[in-house]
Amino acid sequence: MSTGTLLAIIIPVVVVIALAAVAASLVIRRRRLRERFGPEYDRTVETAESRRAAERELSAREKRHDSLDIKPLSSGVREQYARNWTSVQDEFVDRPDEAVHDADRLVTSLMHERGYPTEDFEQRLKDLSVEHGHTLEQYRAAHRIEMLSAEHKATTEQLRGAMVHYRDIFDDLLSDGGRPRHARA
């Protein structure tokens, strides 16, 4: 066999193998992002100009998250937050609007305690999406209701829903990625 014939066989085989390796790495990357971000992956893909742009955005979120000093809570701090949550939840019976506002502040305080920046809501969502993508939609919903409540436009049922949503993200943040350390009411 001549060198030209060998090259005509080897080059296409190498190209096919390289393309298969690239495709496999993209599939693996996509699967890893889906697993890490949960529903936030689909949400980001829907709002981005392309799947590739969405995946770049999610990768950028991971890099930013890795640069943050996210830390677990000591058991004493965790217990204090759990007691604070119980107080906020008890407040709901007599003052639902105030309880929702207090729940929002408590979640923000917990985020800050864990090391998340808390100045900008949209950036909070992006930072939380890396480790808390499965409860992020609940946080968005709770925040929307909290904004309605600030304008005195939320119903009691909406406020109750906000408390449930805040509890979901609160438990997720409090647990440091494990099981929540306090009983749900």
Side-chain angles (χ1 to χ4, degrees):
M1 234 186 256
S2 71
T3 304
T5 305
L6 279 175
L7 287 176
I9 294 171
I10 292 174
I11 290 175
V13 169
V14 168
V15 168
V16 167
I17 291 172
L19 289 173
V22 167
S25 71
L26 289 173
V27 167
I28 290 169
R29 177 179 179 226
R30 182 167 294 151
R31 183 177 300 134
R32 184 186 62 76
L33 289 171
R34 276 183 187 269
E35 288 172 4
R36 179 142 201 202
F37 286 90
E40 188 64 14
Y41 176 90
D42 293 326
R43 187 179 206 289
T44 305
V45 168
E46 288 173 14
T47 59
E49 62 191 40
S50 69
R51 181 176 300 275
R52 176 177 259 169
E55 290 177 352
R56 276 194 306 268
E57 163 68 20
L58 295 172
S59 293
R61 290 181 194 185
E62 285 180 316
K63 283 182 183 173
R64 176 181 158 81
H65 186 273
D66 290 346
S67 73
L68 299 175
D69 185 22
I70 307 301
K71 53 194 171 282
L73 301 172
S74 69
S75 60
V77 170
R78 185 179 292 112
E79 289 168 11
Q80 182 59 48
Y81 272 100
R83 283 190 299 273
N84 291 347
W85 178 261
T86 300
S87 295
V88 168
Q89 205 165 250
D90 291 344
E91 177 185 21
F92 185 80
V93 174
D94 295 321
R95 300 182 351 215
D97 282 308
E98 290 85 356
V100 168
H101 297 305
D102 289 346
D104 182 69
R105 283 190 288 273
L106 188 59
V107 166
T108 302
S109 174
L110 178 55
M111 288 173 57
H112 182 74
E113 185 84 32
R114 292 282 317 274
Y116 287 97
T118 57
E119 294 77 34
D120 176 60
F121 181 73
E122 290 303 318
Q123 188 60 53
R124 271 187 262 167
L125 292 173
K126 290 177 182 179
D127 292 339
L128 285 172
S129 71
V130 178
E131 288 187 0
H132 304 280
H134 295 283
T135 53
L136 202 56
E137 193 52 42
Q138 287 90 333
Y139 185 43
R140 277 189 185 94
H143 186 73
R144 281 190 299 269
I145 295 166
E146 195 268 340
M147 300 299 285
L148 283 174
S149 175
E151 299 171 6
H152 306 289
K153 295 180 179 176
T155 67
T156 303
E157 187 58 27
Q158 287 173 315
L159 295 170
R160 187 197 65 73
M163 290 297 291
V164 170
H165 295 319
Y166 276 128
R167 183 176 58 203
D168 288 342
I169 187 69
F170 180 84
D171 284 349
D172 203 28
L173 284 163
L174 194 66
S175 70
D176 297 334
R179 294 185 55 210
R181 308 295 168 129
H182 74 281
R184 295 179 79 153

